[in-house]
Amino acid sequence: MKMKRLLALSLTLALTVTTFSGCGKSQEAAINSQSSMQEVMAKFPIKNTNDAPSIKGGVLKVAVVSASAFEGIFNPCFSDNQPDADIYQWFMENVLSADENFVFDQDGAATYTYDQTAKTMTLKLKDGIKWHDGQPVTLDDLVYAYEIICDKDYEGMRYDEQFTNIVGVEEFHAGKAKTISGLELSADKMTLTIKFKNFFPSILVGGIWIAPIPRHYYEEIPVKEMKAHEKSRKTPIGFGPFKIKSIVSGESVELVRNDDYYLGAPKLAGVTLTVIAPDLVPAAMEEGKFDIALFSQQQYPDYKEPKNFSYLGQLQTVFNYTAFKLGKWDQKNNKNIYDPNSKMANVKLRQAIGYAVDNDKIAKELYNGLRFLATTVVTPRHAAYQNTEIAGYTYDPEKAKKLLDEAGYKDVNNDGYREDPNGKSFSITWATMDGEGADTYAQFKIQNWKDVGLKVELYNGRLTEFNAFYDAVEHDDPKIDMYDGAWQTGFDPNPKNLWGPDSSANYTRYTSDTLDAIMSDISSEKAWDKAFLSEKYHAFQQVFFDEAPAIPTMWRMGLEAVNNRVKNYEVTSFDIKCFAHLIELTAEAPMKKADVK
């Protein structure tokens, strides 16, 4: 899932820089960042402790921290942004859960087995699970989700190799078959066998679609109309611990307890989720307006010792990156078309842009050490796959200048900015999102690029609201040359999910024979050999670093503020562990700072 949120930026960042030179310095910067990351991770627990007696019921108040209104697409087949997911995770569930290593386990709504030789995975749904309207959940509802995403009229971002690797999907998508032959459903619709063309380890680590959609609720709605339909936006249903009571578009969602929840009725009477701008969170938490909120990494130093709330933290499976527009998306054929003549096609130009920016300084000063210099696009949460030999694009403006000289970008008229290799005026249009302090962030990076002679201008001359930002990036607005985004890897670090030739989420539109071959190996049966898989993941990261379709910039800690009245809350994803029904409260209202002595 991609992140449509660039978290708040509030501190002033001095536009002064310190040059690192030589690969020794680069490696040193990476090592120091890793060390700092380990120290920060040790400071924050992932679960709160509270021994006070619980009250019966109560309403949990959750902040949806976003600089903009939430989009409000509560249908997992179409939703592609974090604020919406932050909301629907409270009332929708997947059929499988996972362990701490992101491998599917047997603790969710369904259990599973797999047969490596037969290339199959078989799911068996537990009895007694109901949709919020009282209808039984079956695995036909999971089949229906596959049919939606694989429909010829589907225009979301999900249809990719995760689906085309299933037998019969491509025939269904092309209209040559009325059903997906590789989805074999039992007569009682409680057992589903999925047959794959290739069966590889990634499938067991979030590599299959596991979010069912109630067929009985949606089946009369054409796929092309489903995303905008009121059943996806106003009256969605799930089978999770809470269910929708009301939605105020873009602003708030009110949930009530689902007494028929298959793991037992929740302890809470309900949950309210309300959008709040990042810069308002600290005051709101002190005033007791919320129980839970993602906390500003910039404002954390001013609230290190809160009285009425405490902090939980976890390193996220998220990386920020600067990426380059290098082609177009072919919707008809579901593939990326790389343009070797695109403006940003020169690899040395892209590498120079990476070395020109002091991301370590941004992480330390803007984010107060709660973000860390990213060396690759595989986060430390997937340490088994990470190539730690890569130092990444550490700050080295002299190297950036040398690369630009070699690529032919030189300042021929002595105005401080480089011209292109043909001696013509050269500027880069960069899209980045708005938010608290985002202007400081943008101007610092623009200054870094100016310091090496690159003229970088903001898309449309300003920061972009995040919904508008992703609309422009997804649809390949030709005015955008590069952009800053963030990606949540989730369970599966398989690079094809984001960088694959048939991934619509590969907004760079970059493809290369070398990268594609490595990604194919990662998604092959040879990958059951752990040494082979590790080798290929390491090779992918090295080639990605060398070819630089995008520059990883930062990894991050997720920091959540939790009011003192909350019990049994943790920062573990609901996808990994179902615990929302166990959350309790010890008072009728959130505690206020003024009430704590």
Side-chain angles (χ1 to χ4, degrees), residues 15-220:
L15 298 180
T16 57
V17 294
T18 304
T19 301
F20 299 135
S21 60
C23 64
K25 287 287 187 180
S26 295
Q27 192 67 48
E28 180 183 344
I31 291 171
N32 289 340
S33 180
Q34 291 278 342
S35 176
S36 174
M37 181 173 62
Q38 296 299 324
E39 292 176 6
V40 171
M41 289 170 61
K43 291 182 181 179
F44 300 103
I46 64 170
K47 183 176 181 177
N48 76 323
T49 56
N50 190 338
D51 296 327
S54 303
I55 64 168
K56 184 177 180 180
V59 176
L60 187 74
K61 297 182 178 181
V62 178
V64 179
V65 182
S66 176
S68 303
F70 60 77
E71 192 170 1
I73 302 172
F74 302 125
N75 181 325
C77 293
F78 298 95
S79 179
D80 58 8
N81 68 83
Q82 194 62 34
D84 286 357
D86 288 343
I87 295 169
Y88 72 63
Q89 68 171 342
W90 289 89
F91 62 90
M92 292 183 175
E93 282 191 15
N94 297 323
V95 295
L96 291 175
S97 61
D99 64 19
E100 65 277 7
N101 295 314
F102 306 108
V103 179
F104 289 136
D105 61 22
Q106 311 294 343
D107 297 333
T111 58
Y112 76 96
T113 57
Y114 67 93
D115 187 325
Q116 188 175 333
T117 302
K119 303 179 184 179
T120 60
M121 186 172 182
T122 299
L123 282 63
K124 184 173 179 56
L125 192 67
K126 297 174 182 177
D127 293 328
I129 303 175
K130 298 178 181 179
W131 292 106
H132 291 154
D133 63 358
Q135 293 296 311
V137 178
T138 72
L139 288 176
D140 183 50
D141 296 314
L142 184 60
V143 171
Y144 183 55
Y146 279 80
E147 291 174 354
I148 292 170
I149 293 171
C150 300
D151 190 278
K152 62 180 177 60
D153 291 329
Y154 177 76
E155 295 182 352
M157 64 177 291
R158 307 295 186 194
Y159 184 71
D160 55 20
E161 191 188 36
Q162 184 182 84
F163 293 91
T164 59
N165 185 43
I166 295 171
V167 172
V169 158
E170 290 181 290
E171 290 81 359
F172 177 84
H173 182 73
K176 297 177 181 179
K178 293 184 178 181
T179 61
I180 299 172
S181 61
L183 301 179
E184 299 176 2
L185 194 64
S186 64
D188 64 358
K189 301 181 181 180
M190 299 296 282
T191 302
L192 175 65
T193 297
I194 305 173
K195 187 170 180 57
F196 301 91
K197 297 174 184 176
N198 297 296
F199 195 72
F200 44 89
S202 184
I203 289 171
L204 304 182
V205 191
I208 62 167
W209 184 261
I210 54 175
I213 300 295
R215 187 187 290 273
H216 73 276
Y217 195 66
Y218 279 99
E219 62 183 343
E220 300 301 322

Side-chain angles (χ1 to χ4, degrees), residues 382-488:
H382 291 98
Y385 304 108
Q386 193 180 45
N387 187 340
T388 58
E389 297 300 313
I390 297 173
Y393 284 91
T394 52
Y395 181 57
D396 194 339
E398 295 308 313
K399 187 169 187 175
K401 292 175 185 178
K402 183 173 183 294
L403 286 164
L404 291 169
D405 288 341
E406 292 171 354
Y409 293 86
K410 298 180 179 180
D411 183 4
V412 296
N413 60 8
N414 295 315
D415 66 347
Y417 292 110
R418 295 171 184 263
E419 279 67 46
D420 70 13
N422 296 317
K424 295 181 179 180
S425 178
F426 182 74
S427 64
I428 298 167
T429 300
W430 173 51
T432 189
M433 288 173 275
D434 64 6
E436 177 198 4
D439 185 65
T440 301
Y441 171 88
Q443 292 307 317
F444 177 74
K445 295 189 75 167
I446 288 172
Q447 180 65 48
N448 275 186
W449 288 318
K450 181 179 180 180
D451 290 344
V452 299
L454 291 174
K455 185 176 184 179
V456 176
E457 300 172 320
L458 287 172
Y459 171 63
N460 291 330
R462 60 183 184 275
L463 300 166
T464 306
E465 186 271 333
F466 77 75
N467 290 316
F469 171 89
Y470 273 102
D471 184 64
V473 170
E474 288 171 2
H475 292 91
D476 300 322
D477 188 324
K479 292 186 292 185
I480 297 175
D481 300 317
M482 69 179 184
Y483 63 93
D484 268 29
W487 183 264
Q488 181 170 318

